[in-house]
Amino acid sequence: MPLLDKVKLKTLKRGRPRKRIKVLAADKDYDSKQKRADLRKRGIRPQIPKRVWKTNQNLCS
């Protein structure tokens, strides 16, 4: 989360630069309920694929 505080968005418009991103795309490593909840509190929509855990049931199919 400290990394998100340092993000500056470049826009083609004049004026104050935007600081908040609308959507955050990440890989499966960042999939956790806590991280998703933190992003939603900040008004950011997480776009993170769900992790698929390998279990015996998944391996048999």
Side-chain angles (χ1 to χ4, degrees):
M1 290 300 140
L3 179 63
L4 288 177
D5 295 331
K6 296 179 182 180
V7 171
K8 293 182 182 177
L9 299 176
K10 290 186 177 182
T11 60
L12 299 176
K13 298 178 183 178
R14 295 188 321 187
R16 179 192 282 178
R18 288 184 42 99
K19 286 226 164 202
R20 184 181 301 174
I21 55 178
K22 293 181 182 179
V23 178
L24 178 74
D27 59 1
K28 293 179 185 179
D29 271 349
Y30 296 98
D31 182 32
S32 72
K33 289 182 181 181
Q34 182 64 41
K35 289 178 184 166
R36 288 178 184 271
D38 289 344
L39 290 171
R40 285 191 192 105
K41 283 181 187 176
R42 293 174 177 238
I44 301 171
R45 184 172 57 94
Q47 192 173 25
I48 305 169
K50 298 277 187 189
R51 283 191 191 179
V52 177
W53 298 100
K54 292 184 179 179
T55 62
N56 290 337
Q57 187 178 13
N58 288 346
L59 295 175
C60 293
S61 317

